[in-house]
Amino acid sequence: MTMLHPSLRHSIPSSLLSLSTQNTHHHRARFKPRASSSFPQTNPKTSGVIVIGAGLAGLAAATHLNSQNIPFLLLEASDAVGGRVRTDKVQGFLLDRGFQIFITGYPEAQKLLDYSALNLHKFYSGARVYYNGQFHTVSDPLRHFWDSLQSLANPIGSILDKLLIASTRIRVLSKSDEEILSSKEVPTIDLLRKLGFSDSIIGSFFRPFFGGIFFDKELDTTSRLFDFIFKCLALGDNTLPANGIGAIPQQLAARLPPNSILLNSEVVSVYFDESVSDSASPSVRLENGEVFKSELGVIVAVEEPQAAKLLPGRSEPVKQKPARSTVCLYFTADRAQVPVGDPVLYLNGSGNGIVNNMFFATNVAPSYGPPDKALVSVSLIGMYEGVSDVDLTSEVVRELSGWFGAPMVGTWRHLKTYRIGFAQPNQCPPTDLMKNPRFGSGVYVCGDHLTSATFDGALASGKRAVEALLRDRALVRS
């Protein structure tokens, strides 16, 4: 493999720009952005590669460019890196923007992240399910053997269901990630029924557990994603970083060169300068009118709806599926006013109510709140449009009072509600989780909408976009 020498970080030879002219001509017929004449400007700033969006995919792309000594500029519209993976500090608490758990078994994350530095705190390997007015524990038998033995007789599925979970584990572990992500697919609900799981365990466990991961209570999400996540869960732990889920993108950003990230820099267009006869690489224009010209290419690493706006020149219009959405409510309480100290995820297996899952974040990672306070995280599936935050909060309190008792829940104080319209791309069949990142001449796309809708999918897609760009520019030889 051949890399650019460090001395070339700020000076790309013009000979590189003439490489792959055949590919350039072919792709430009497909990608037809607006011409630069619409945006008059002088002396545009230049960089080897321009990456649009500092979410996980964009940060992964920048990380791989940096490792190859390719100069780049990362443009982010908001005031911080992370995209959807952000943590806010509110009254001494760490509030992740929505229900987000980091699975240590993610393969690409293992390559890119320093788990030790993230100071990951583990959830209990299983869940506590609210069903028929009581809580029942579901445990991973390889990690909590005695707990799993005691749970064999509980009503969350039959003994056969629990044996089927073990056989599913063996099945997914026997396949490579590539095999899983390109395998024959059906909706997850159809897969579970085909495997022989009972309606009881599907309703009381799989719907709230995987429905909470997919933000899809109907479990229409592709079986490919179910198998991939099931495999990652078998190989790793559910965790939270001590400093919040936002510590993950912050770690990636901290490794990048100084001044390589521009915040509050919203890109409004990607285009070619048609006044230049051999403009093989596109430029980008910011909302404030600034223009940045790429010398090697542009990587678009924004959410799917924004990508569609920036890149309108698709040869075939793609009908977007409705995005997955969620509402996350946070409450605080005295630590004595929570029912348990276990770092366990609670699931609503009753089939009733609006709460899908909840947990006491400070039981998992005490750093999520002040020493004497507990942080309660409650997740709903969907946006609940037309229902005010006040009414939604009241209904959640009423519902959880049935779980834990009104005297206790009545002492909890509402902190903040997050309504997240685009929590994940919709990955119901048919899907292509191995999409080509090449969009057009000098333009590449990455994000979890091109791969699996997971942290790992975003990270892997950033890497693939860079690999495609470098192959096209002949900067890497296999």
Side-chain angles (χ1 to χ4, degrees):
M1 182 174 69
T2 301
M3 303 183 199
L4 281 181
H5 190 274
S7 64
L8 301 179
R9 291 189 57 83
H10 301 288
S11 177
I12 306 296
S14 60
S15 60
L16 289 179
L17 304 182
S18 64
L19 295 173
S20 302
T21 54
Q22 185 175 357
N23 283 342
T24 297
H25 176 74
H26 170 71
H27 287 300
R28 194 179 297 183
R30 295 175 52 235
F31 175 59
K32 297 179 180 179
R34 290 168 289 185
S36 63
S37 57
S38 304
F39 313 114
Q41 50 80 39
T42 58
N43 300 323
K45 302 170 185 176
T46 61
S47 181
V49 178
I50 295 172
V51 182
I52 305 172
L56 291 184
L59 289 165
T63 298
H64 288 288
L65 289 167
N66 191 47
S67 71
Q68 297 284 334
N69 294 320
I70 306 293
F72 68 90
L73 185 63
L74 180 53
L75 303 175
E76 167 56 38
S78 70
D79 60 354
V81 301
R84 282 169 273 153
V85 186
R86 295 275 299 270
T87 301
D88 297 321
K89 293 183 178 180
V90 178
Q91 299 178 28
F93 294 90
L94 299 179
L95 308 186
D96 295 332
R97 295 187 180 180
F99 173 61
Q100 303 189 59
I101 289 178
F102 180 69
I103 303 174
T104 59
Y106 285 143
E108 190 65 25
Q110 291 175 350
K111 300 172 188 175
L112 281 183
L113 298 173
D114 181 349
Y115 285 9
S116 177
L118 287 173
N119 191 10
L120 299 171
H121 293 254
K122 298 178 183 179
F123 279 78
Y124 178 86
S125 295
R128 200 157 289 156
V129 182
Y130 183 72
Y131 179 78
N132 281 348
Q134 295 181 326
F135 290 107
H136 306 277
T137 299
V138 176
S139 303
D140 181 339
L142 297 184
R143 292 165 181 161
H144 305 290
F145 178 72
W146 293 112
D147 288 353
S148 65
L149 277 183
Q150 294 172 10
S151 69
L152 283 176
N154 73 27
I156 310 303
S158 64
I159 292 178
L160 175 59
D161 285 323
K162 288 151 189 175
L163 292 174
L164 286 173
I165 289 176
S167 67
T168 300
R169 184 180 194 139
I170 293 170
R171 178 178 63 83
V172 298
L173 288 175
S174 69
K175 296 181 180 181
S176 69
D177 296 335
E178 291 73 19
E179 287 176 312
I180 288 174
L181 296 177
S182 60
S183 63
K184 183 178 178 180
E185 65 175 340
V186 295
T188 292
I189 186 66
D190 292 353
L191 173 67
L192 295 173
R193 288 170 175 159
K194 181 180 178 181
L195 291 174
F197 286 104
S198 69
D199 289 341
S200 172
I201 197 168
I202 289 174
S204 61
F205 176 72
F206 284 109
R207 283 193 192 278
F209 186 78
F210 281 92
I213 293 173
F214 302 151
F215 301 117
D216 168 26
K217 192 172 287 188
E218 302 306 314
L219 299 182
D220 291 326
T221 298
T222 176
S223 54
R224 294 169 176 170
L225 192 56
F226 171 84
D227 281 354
F228 178 69
I229 290 178
F230 204 106
K231 179 181 178 180
C232 292
L233 289 169
L235 294 173
D237 295 296
N238 286 337
T239 67
L240 290 177
N243 291 327
I245 206 73
I248 294 172
Q250 289 170 3
Q251 183 184 98
L252 292 172
R255 299 173 180 170
L256 300 177
N259 304 317
S260 63
I261 303 175
L262 292 185
L263 301 176
N264 302 304
S265 301
E266 181 179 359
V267 174
V268 294
S269 65
V270 179
Y271 66 93
F272 287 94
D273 186 351
E274 295 187 352
S275 66
V276 179
S277 60
D278 185 24
S279 179
S281 295
S283 298
V284 304
R285 180 177 180 269
L286 303 188
E287 188 179 34
N288 65 8
E290 280 190 277
V291 171
F292 293 86
K293 178 175 175 53
S294 69
E295 295 179 304
L296 296 173
V298 169
I299 296 176
V300 178
V302 296
E303 294 176 355
E304 189 174 18
Q306 283 68 38
K309 293 177 183 177
L310 283 176
L311 305 173
R314 295 178 184 268
S315 57
E316 297 181 4
V318 177
K319 184 178 179 181
Q320 292 185 22
K321 303 169 186 175
R324 298 303 187 191
S325 57
T326 184
V327 179
C328 182
L329 299 92
Y330 285 102
F331 299 85
T332 179
D334 292 337
R335 294 218 176 179
Q337 292 298 320
V338 296
V340 296
D342 299 337
V344 66
L345 179 67
Y346 284 83
L347 304 176
N348 183 359
S350 70
N352 301 311
I354 64 173
V355 172
N356 184 76
N357 57 273
M358 60 86 62
F359 68 103
F360 301 98
T362 41
N363 286 0
V364 181
S367 51
Y368 266 60
D372 59 337
K373 296 293 182 181
L375 179 64
V376 186
S377 172
V378 183
S379 295
L380 322 179
I381 295 175
M383 280 291 284
Y384 289 87
E385 293 173 321
V387 182
S388 70
D389 285 357
V390 171
D391 289 344
L392 210 55
T393 300
S394 296
E395 179 57 25
V396 167
V397 168
R398 186 197 67 77
E399 197 170 310
L400 293 182
S401 293
W403 292 24
F404 303 113
M408 176 175 289
V409 178
T411 66
W412 298 357
R413 179 173 62 85
H414 177 250
L415 269 178
K416 191 175 178 70
T417 295
Y418 290 92
R419 294 179 186 252
I420 303 169
F422 191 91
Q424 279 184 18
N426 184 321
Q427 295 198 322
C428 295
T431 65
D432 178 3
L433 304 187
M434 305 289 286
K435 291 187 182 75
N436 190 333
R438 295 180 185 85
F439 179 79
S441 175
V443 180
Y444 305 83
V445 182
C446 60
D448 59 2
H449 56 283
L450 269 72
T451 54
S452 65
T454 62
F455 285 1
D456 207 68
L459 295 173
S461 73
K463 176 183 179 181
R464 290 175 193 164
V466 171
E467 289 174 341
L469 180 150
L470 297 183
R471 281 195 299 270
D472 288 350
R473 294 304 189 185
L475 296 178
V476 173
R477 293 195 302 269
S478 299

Short mmCIF file of all heavy atoms in Angstrom, two decimals, residues 196-216:
data_model
loop_
_atom_site.label_atom_id
_atom_site.label_comp_id
_atom_site.label_asym_id
_atom_site.label_seq_id
_atom_site.Cartn_x
_atom_site.Cartn_y
_atom_site.Cartn_z
N GLY A 196 -39.34 -20.24 15.12
CA GLY A 196 -40.15 -21.00 16.08
C GLY A 196 -40.41 -20.33 17.40
O GLY A 196 -40.95 -20.95 18.32
N PHE A 197 -40.03 -19.05 17.54
CA PHE A 197 -40.29 -18.34 18.80
C PHE A 197 -41.79 -18.16 19.00
O PHE A 197 -42.54 -17.93 18.05
CB PHE A 197 -39.59 -16.99 18.79
CG PHE A 197 -38.10 -17.06 18.98
CD1 PHE A 197 -37.24 -16.89 17.90
CD2 PHE A 197 -37.56 -17.32 20.22
CE1 PHE A 197 -35.87 -16.97 18.06
CE2 PHE A 197 -36.19 -17.39 20.40
CZ PHE A 197 -35.34 -17.23 19.31
N SER A 198 -42.21 -18.26 20.25
CA SER A 198 -43.63 -18.12 20.58
C SER A 198 -44.06 -16.67 20.52
O SER A 198 -43.25 -15.74 20.65
CB SER A 198 -43.90 -18.68 21.97
OG SER A 198 -43.30 -17.84 22.96
N ASP A 199 -45.37 -16.45 20.34
CA ASP A 199 -45.90 -15.09 20.37
C ASP A 199 -45.64 -14.44 21.73
O ASP A 199 -45.47 -13.22 21.82
CB ASP A 199 -47.40 -15.11 20.09
CG ASP A 199 -47.72 -15.45 18.64
OD1 ASP A 199 -46.82 -15.31 17.79
OD2 ASP A 199 -48.87 -15.84 18.36
N SER A 200 -45.58 -15.26 22.78
CA SER A 200 -45.36 -14.73 24.12
C SER A 200 -44.02 -14.04 24.25
O SER A 200 -43.94 -12.89 24.70
CB SER A 200 -45.45 -15.86 25.15
OG SER A 200 -45.07 -15.41 26.44
N ILE A 201 -42.95 -14.70 23.83
CA ILE A 201 -41.63 -14.08 23.99
C ILE A 201 -41.41 -12.98 22.96
O ILE A 201 -40.70 -12.00 23.22
CB ILE A 201 -40.50 -15.13 23.94
CG1 ILE A 201 -39.21 -14.51 24.51
CG2 ILE A 201 -40.27 -15.64 22.51
CD1 ILE A 201 -38.12 -15.51 24.78
N ILE A 202 -42.04 -13.10 21.79
CA ILE A 202 -41.94 -12.03 20.81
C ILE A 202 -42.56 -10.75 21.38
O ILE A 202 -41.98 -9.66 21.30
CB ILE A 202 -42.62 -12.42 19.48
CG1 ILE A 202 -41.79 -13.50 18.77
CG2 ILE A 202 -42.77 -11.20 18.58
CD1 ILE A 202 -42.45 -14.07 17.53
N GLY A 203 -43.74 -10.88 21.99
CA GLY A 203 -44.43 -9.71 22.51
C GLY A 203 -43.82 -9.15 23.78
O GLY A 203 -43.73 -7.93 23.95
N SER A 204 -43.36 -10.02 24.65
CA SER A 204 -42.89 -9.55 25.96
C SER A 204 -41.41 -9.21 25.99
O SER A 204 -40.98 -8.41 26.82
CB SER A 204 -43.18 -10.61 27.03
OG SER A 204 -42.49 -11.82 26.74
N PHE A 205 -40.63 -9.79 25.07
CA PHE A 205 -39.19 -9.51 25.09
C PHE A 205 -38.67 -8.90 23.78
O PHE A 205 -38.08 -7.82 23.78
CB PHE A 205 -38.40 -10.77 25.41
CG PHE A 205 -36.90 -10.58 25.34
CD1 PHE A 205 -36.25 -9.85 26.32
CD2 PHE A 205 -36.16 -11.09 24.29
CE1 PHE A 205 -34.87 -9.63 26.26
CE2 PHE A 205 -34.78 -10.89 24.21
CZ PHE A 205 -34.14 -10.16 25.20
N PHE A 206 -38.86 -9.59 22.66
CA PHE A 206 -38.25 -9.12 21.41
C PHE A 206 -38.80 -7.78 20.96
O PHE A 206 -38.03 -6.92 20.50
CB PHE A 206 -38.43 -10.17 20.30
CG PHE A 206 -37.51 -11.34 20.42
CD1 PHE A 206 -37.99 -12.59 20.78
CD2 PHE A 206 -36.15 -11.21 20.20
CE1 PHE A 206 -37.15 -13.68 20.90
CE2 PHE A 206 -35.29 -12.29 20.32
CZ PHE A 206 -35.78 -13.53 20.67
N ARG A 207 -40.11 -7.55 21.09
CA ARG A 207 -40.65 -6.26 20.66
C ARG A 207 -40.08 -5.08 21.46
O ARG A 207 -39.61 -4.11 20.87
CB ARG A 207 -42.18 -6.26 20.74
CG ARG A 207 -42.86 -7.01 19.61
CD ARG A 207 -44.36 -6.72 19.58
NE ARG A 207 -45.07 -7.64 18.70
CZ ARG A 207 -45.16 -7.50 17.39
NH1 ARG A 207 -44.57 -6.47 16.79
NH2 ARG A 207 -45.84 -8.38 16.67
N PRO A 208 -40.09 -5.14 22.79
CA PRO A 208 -39.51 -4.00 23.50
C PRO A 208 -37.99 -3.92 23.42
O PRO A 208 -37.43 -2.82 23.39
CB PRO A 208 -39.99 -4.20 24.94
CG PRO A 208 -40.28 -5.65 25.06
CD PRO A 208 -40.76 -6.09 23.71
N PHE A 209 -37.31 -5.08 23.38
CA PHE A 209 -35.84 -5.02 23.38
C PHE A 209 -35.30 -4.59 22.02
O PHE A 209 -34.64 -3.56 21.90
CB PHE A 209 -35.25 -6.38 23.78
CG PHE A 209 -33.75 -6.36 23.93
CD1 PHE A 209 -33.16 -5.84 25.07
CD2 PHE A 209 -32.92 -6.86 22.93
CE1 PHE A 209 -31.77 -5.80 25.22
CE2 PHE A 209 -31.53 -6.83 23.06
CZ PHE A 209 -30.96 -6.30 24.21
N PHE A 210 -35.59 -5.37 20.98
CA PHE A 210 -35.09 -5.00 19.65
C PHE A 210 -35.89 -3.84 19.07
O PHE A 210 -35.35 -3.05 18.28
CB PHE A 210 -35.08 -6.21 18.72
CG PHE A 210 -33.90 -7.11 18.96
CD1 PHE A 210 -34.00 -8.18 19.83
CD2 PHE A 210 -32.69 -6.86 18.35
CE1 PHE A 210 -32.90 -8.99 20.08
CE2 PHE A 210 -31.59 -7.66 18.58
CZ PHE A 210 -31.69 -8.73 19.46
N GLY A 211 -37.16 -3.71 19.46
CA GLY A 211 -37.92 -2.54 19.04
C GLY A 211 -37.30 -1.26 19.57
O GLY A 211 -37.31 -0.22 18.90
N GLY A 212 -36.71 -1.32 20.77
CA GLY A 212 -36.03 -0.17 21.34
C GLY A 212 -34.71 0.13 20.65
O GLY A 212 -34.26 1.28 20.61
N ILE A 213 -34.06 -0.89 20.10
CA ILE A 213 -32.81 -0.69 19.36
C ILE A 213 -33.10 -0.14 17.97
O ILE A 213 -32.44 0.78 17.49
CB ILE A 213 -32.04 -2.02 19.26
CG1 ILE A 213 -31.55 -2.46 20.65
CG2 ILE A 213 -30.85 -1.89 18.30
CD1 ILE A 213 -30.92 -3.84 20.68
N PHE A 214 -34.13 -0.72 17.30
CA PHE A 214 -34.48 -0.29 15.95
C PHE A 214 -35.41 0.92 15.94
O PHE A 214 -35.64 1.50 14.88
CB PHE A 214 -35.22 -1.41 15.22
CG PHE A 214 -34.48 -2.72 15.10
CD1 PHE A 214 -35.18 -3.91 15.03
CD2 PHE A 214 -33.10 -2.77 15.04
CE1 PHE A 214 -34.53 -5.13 14.90
CE2 PHE A 214 -32.42 -3.98 14.92
CZ PHE A 214 -33.14 -5.16 14.85
N PHE A 215 -36.00 1.29 17.08
CA PHE A 215 -37.09 2.26 17.15
C PHE A 215 -38.22 1.80 16.23
O PHE A 215 -38.78 2.57 15.46
CB PHE A 215 -36.62 3.68 16.81
CG PHE A 215 -35.53 4.17 17.72
CD1 PHE A 215 -34.26 4.47 17.23
CD2 PHE A 215 -35.76 4.33 19.07
CE1 PHE A 215 -33.26 4.91 18.08
CE2 PHE A 215 -34.76 4.77 19.92
CZ PHE A 215 -33.50 5.06 19.43
N ASP A 216 -38.54 0.52 16.34
CA ASP A 216 -39.50 -0.13 15.46
C ASP A 216 -40.20 -1.23 16.24
O ASP A 216 -39.75 -2.37 16.27
CB ASP A 216 -38.76 -0.69 14.23
CG ASP A 216 -39.62 -1.64 13.41
OD1 ASP A 216 -40.85 -1.51 13.44
OD2 ASP A 216 -39.03 -2.51 12.73
#
